[in-house]
Structures are given as C-alpha cells and as structure tokens.
C-alpha cells in the first residue's frame, strides 16, 4: 500500500549535536509525516555555510516532489531554491538554531559579512522563519537591520518587516523524561554546582574562574562539576580551574554516557551559566527540568525562563563585578525557601502542537497554490 503521508524534506547543513538532536526529536514528535533528512557534517564552517547548496547539487532527492522543506539556519536556502527550480514552489520553513549576526567572533576569526548574508537571504527566501528563542529572533532582526543600514545603495525597504511578519518562536524541546515531579531539596551546607556548557570562550570560562575564586574567598563549602563538549584547543581557564579547584571537583570533562549525564543533572543543586552567548540554553533547561536551581546572567535567552531571583546583573566589560554579582545571587538562592519552577512550556509534549500547527499550515498553503 503506498505511503500517503505528507512528505517533508529536512535539510541540516551543519549537523552538529544540538542540530541532530532537534532533527531527530522533530521526526519523532510528528510521526504522521514522512520525513527524509539530508545532512552535512559539522566541519569547515566557512565552506559549509556558503557551499551547502553546491554540495547538494547532484542529490537525487532534491528532484523529488515534497510537500514541505524544513531547513536549518546554516542552509543557504535562497541558492538551494535557485539551483533546484522544482523546490521554488515548495513551501519552506527556516529553523534558526542561531544567527550569524549575534554569533561570537573569536580573536582568531574575522568578522565576515558573507555568513550573515546567507542567513538574511535564507530568511527572505523562506515562507516562514522559526526561532528557538525570542532573543535569537530579536538579535537577528536587529543585526540584519544594522547591516542593511551600512550598505551603500539600492537597498529595498521593508525587508525586516517582511521577515518579522512571518517569524515564530518555537524552542528546541526538552525531552519529557528529564522532567522530575519530585521537589529537590538543595544541600545548602555544601551545594553541588554544575557548569555544563561547551568548552569555548563564548561560554565564559574566565568568568567561571572568577566566580569560583570569589566563592573560595567566602569560605562557602561546595562541590563542583564542570562538564561539556571539549575540543583540542580550549581556553586556558579550564586548566586553571582544574588545578585550583581539584579539591572541589566531583566530575570533570565530557560525559560520553547519556545516562551518566542525566544522573548528574539529578544530583546537582545549582546549574550555573557564565555565558556571553547562548541562543536558547539547552543545558540550562535540561538541568532545570531535572530539578536544578538556575544561576544565570541577566542577558540572552535566560530572561525567557530563568526567574529574576536567579539572574545576576551582567557586567560584560567587568568580570570582577560580574563575579561579585553572581556570588550575591548565589547566596540569595541558598537562602530561598523553595526551588525555582520547572520550565514546563519547553517540554516536548507541550511544544509538539506548535510544530504540528506550523507544518500543517505550510503544507495546506502549498496545496492551495
């Protein structure tokens, strides 16, 4: 019997771990559709973001009939539709895991406009644009407007307004299994602090170091776990943390076992972020779902789900002032009578309907044309 499910082509041009996780979640949450994924490995960033449409030039599946195309933010959607005219009339939604206007530039990188233009062209070419957080959406729109303001001439009006009108915010879901119904009792005498982010400069390891030094000065007893995806070259602050705070460490480095990581989320008391950039904050949301109390700077997407009482004032230009602010907020958290609320709105079973509605609207619109 032929498969009569609507056919969706899912394109992930830089299939990093978080992108792959979202892609697999989406196909699991919406089994009423026939999904086919086309992916490229997460390496050679500059080539990947500009060359993905060319890399897929001879892909047979691009010549097939699809009811919908779902493309991630690294996909050069405008070029892809231009090189494959049969997709020009197929509804397309662009899912923005991140945007190149707010993406951090390291000292080794140059601030290149080309990745930003790919994002902008893709957003213009898409029928709908979905962002994983309101902060991601707003920073994209503001960054794109700033770029357009710099261009010398022949810039059409209304571009940002057009993108804004077709934009939605639908976060990457947190698996239901991570949510706990049991209230967590914080070990106030010796709290277990978890820092669970990528080991890169934009996650603020130098700020973590300063906070820990401030914590040591207070003579507050605590345990520390520093885990996350590491790379061959990572900021030297991690080496200093491992050496200076070895007596506090419970876990150090990447946990390859998902079950071990989930167990750590249930054991920790406070999940800490020192990030300068975080488009949604999956690691924070996962830990909060598992019962951890968040401690995060008052910036980025954290304002969308971290209670104000758990956000410390950000001082991006003064790491010492930020360490003091984080310490003061940490003391407030330890004195709080109860844990912070669970991020129920980010639960997969809750968000599934938002994704389903978006997909069905686009498919129906395509059938009417």
């Amino acid at each position: 019997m032929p498969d009569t499910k609507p056919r969706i082509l899912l394109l992930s041009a830089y299939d990093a771990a978080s992108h792959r996780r979202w892609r697999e979640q989406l196909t699991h949450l919406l089994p009423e559709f026939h999904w086919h994924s086309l992916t490229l490995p997460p390496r050679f960033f500059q080539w990947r973001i500009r060359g993905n449409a060319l890399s897929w030039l001879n892909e047979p599946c691009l010549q097939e009939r699809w009811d919908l195309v779902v493309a991630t933010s690294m996909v050069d959607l405008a070029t892809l539709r231009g090189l494959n005219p049969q997709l020009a009339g197929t509804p397309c939604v662009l899912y923005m895991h991140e945007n190149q206007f707010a993406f951090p530039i390291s000292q080794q990188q140059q601030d290149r406009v080309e990745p930003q233009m790919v994002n902008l062209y893709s957003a213009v070419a898409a029928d709908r644009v979905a962002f994983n957080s309101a902060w991601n959406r707003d920073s994209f729109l503001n960054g794109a407007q700033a770029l357009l303001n710099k261009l010398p001439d022949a810039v059409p009006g209304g571009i940002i307004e057009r993108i804004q009108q077709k934009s939605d915010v639908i976060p990457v879901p947190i698996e239901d299994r991570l949510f706990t119904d049991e209230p967590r009792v914080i070990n106030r005498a010796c709290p277990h602090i978890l820092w669970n982010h990528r080991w890169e400069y934009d996650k603020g390891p130098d700020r973590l170091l300063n906070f820990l030094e401030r914590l040591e000065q207070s003579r507050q007893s605590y345990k520390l776990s520093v885990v996350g995806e590491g790379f061959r070259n990572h900021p030297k602050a991690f080496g200093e943390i491992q050496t200076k705070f070895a007596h506090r460490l419970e876990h150090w480095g990447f946990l390859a076992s998902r079950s071990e990581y989930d167990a750590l989320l249930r054991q920790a008391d406070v999940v800490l972020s020192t990030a300068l950039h975080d488009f949604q904050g999956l690691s924070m949301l996962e830990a909060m779902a598992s019962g951890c109390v968040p401690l995060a700077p008052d910036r980025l997407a954290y304002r969308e789900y971290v209670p104000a009482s758990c956000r410390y004032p950000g001082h991006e230009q003064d790491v010492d002032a930020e360490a003091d602010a984080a310490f003061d907020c940490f003391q407030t958290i330890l004195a709080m009578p109860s844990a912070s609320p669970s991020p129920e709105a980010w639960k997969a079973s809750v968000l599934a309907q938002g994704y389903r509605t978006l997909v069905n609207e686009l498919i129906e619109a395509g059938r009417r044309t």
Side-chain angles (χ1 to χ4, degrees):
M1 188 173 181
D3 187 354
T4 59
K5 295 179 179 180
R7 290 164 48 82
I8 303 177
L9 177 62
L10 203 167
L11 303 173
S12 181
Y14 197 86
D15 206 40
S18 59
H19 293 209
R20 183 175 67 251
R21 167 187 172 170
W22 169 83
R23 175 171 57 80
E24 293 173 348
Q25 273 187 311
L26 189 57
T27 58
H28 175 75
L29 286 173
L30 305 180
E32 66 267 35
F33 303 104
H34 171 85
W35 295 90
H36 180 78
S37 295
L38 197 58
T39 68
L40 291 169
R43 56 177 183 256
F44 312 128
F45 170 82
Q46 295 292 343
W47 158 239
R48 193 66 78 230
I49 193 169
R50 192 62 188 92
N52 56 79
L54 191 62
S55 296
W56 284 328
L57 185 63
N58 297 321
E59 282 290 339
C61 69
L62 295 180
Q63 312 306 317
E64 298 178 17
R65 182 195 62 80
W66 300 98
D67 295 290
L68 176 67
V69 172
V70 178
T72 62
S73 43
M74 289 286 288
V75 174
D76 185 354
L77 188 58
T79 301
L80 185 88
R81 296 182 92 172
L83 294 176
N84 300 275
Q86 68 280 2
L87 295 180
T90 304
C92 293
V93 57
L94 181 70
Y95 191 82
M96 300 292 290
H97 288 276
E98 68 283 304
N99 76 80
Q100 297 303 316
F101 295 97
F103 210 82
I105 302 297
S106 71
Q107 295 178 352
Q108 290 75 34
Q109 293 174 313
Q110 296 179 355
D111 188 2
R112 299 182 180 176
V113 72
E114 199 159 337
Q116 296 175 349
M117 292 300 292
V118 171
N119 271 183
L120 180 57
Y121 284 142
S122 294
V124 171
D127 296 282
R128 297 278 285 275
V129 185
F131 294 85
N132 60 358
S133 71
W135 183 81
N136 188 7
R137 176 200 60 201
D138 295 345
S139 62
F140 170 82
L141 294 173
N142 292 335
Q145 183 64 73
L147 174 64
L148 293 175
N149 291 343
K150 294 177 184 178
L151 301 181
D153 64 2
V155 178
I159 291 179
I160 302 303
E161 291 75 16
R162 284 168 54 189
I163 297 173
Q164 188 170 22
Q165 289 169 5
K166 59 183 178 181
S167 291
D168 303 272
V169 174
I170 310 180
V172 174
I174 305 301
E175 291 92 335
D176 285 29
R177 63 177 181 78
L178 289 175
F179 286 77
T180 179
D181 295 326
E182 300 177 6
R184 181 79 60 84
V185 178
I186 296 179
N187 184 343
R188 302 179 194 281
C190 185
H192 184 172
I193 301 171
L194 170 65
W195 190 95
N196 57 339
H197 309 274
R198 280 184 293 103
W199 286 26
E200 294 189 284
Y201 70 98
D202 62 296
K203 299 305 180 184
D206 57 327
R207 294 163 190 269
L208 171 61
L209 175 61
N210 277 35
F211 169 73
L212 294 174
E213 289 175 340
R214 179 69 180 83
L215 202 54
E216 287 292 320
Q217 293 169 8
S218 74
R219 299 186 182 278
Q220 164 73 51
S221 182
Y222 66 96
K223 296 184 290 185
L224 175 67
S225 290
V226 178
V227 300
E229 185 180 5
F231 304 91
R232 182 178 302 173
N233 297 315
H234 54 254
K236 64 179 183 180
F238 287 106
E240 294 183 52
I241 292 169
Q242 187 178 22
T243 300
K244 288 185 177 181
F245 306 101
H247 60 295
R248 301 291 190 185
L249 292 176
E250 289 288 305
H251 295 274
W252 180 262
F254 181 68
L255 286 177
S257 167
R258 181 70 212 200
S259 61
E260 289 182 19
Y261 178 68
D262 290 348
L264 177 59
L265 295 181
R266 294 189 295 270
Q267 293 164 8
D269 295 300
V270 175
V271 59
L272 168 66
S273 173
T274 52
L276 294 168
H277 287 87
D278 211 344
F279 287 99
Q280 178 176 333
L282 284 173
S283 60
M284 293 293 286
L285 284 161
E286 286 182 335
M288 290 174 64
S290 301
C292 290
V293 177
L295 174 60
D298 187 23
R299 56 176 172 251
L300 310 173
Y302 301 135
R303 293 172 176 169
E304 298 170 42
Y305 55 83
V306 175
S309 59
C310 298
R311 300 196 307 263
Y312 56 87
H315 299 276
E316 294 191 24
Q317 306 305 319
D318 190 337
V319 293
D320 292 328
E322 187 157 295
D324 289 339
F327 174 78
D328 292 342
C329 189
F330 180 64
Q331 294 297 109
T332 299
I333 287 173
L334 293 184
M336 286 167 53
S338 60
S340 64
S342 179
E344 294 290 322
W346 281 257
K347 184 180 285 189
S349 57
V350 174
L351 288 170
Q353 188 54 46
Y355 279 103
R356 180 173 289 109
T357 298
L358 175 62
V359 167
N360 279 324
E361 286 177 355
L362 283 163
I363 290 176
E364 287 303 313
R367 289 172 175 171
R368 289 195 299 267
T369 57

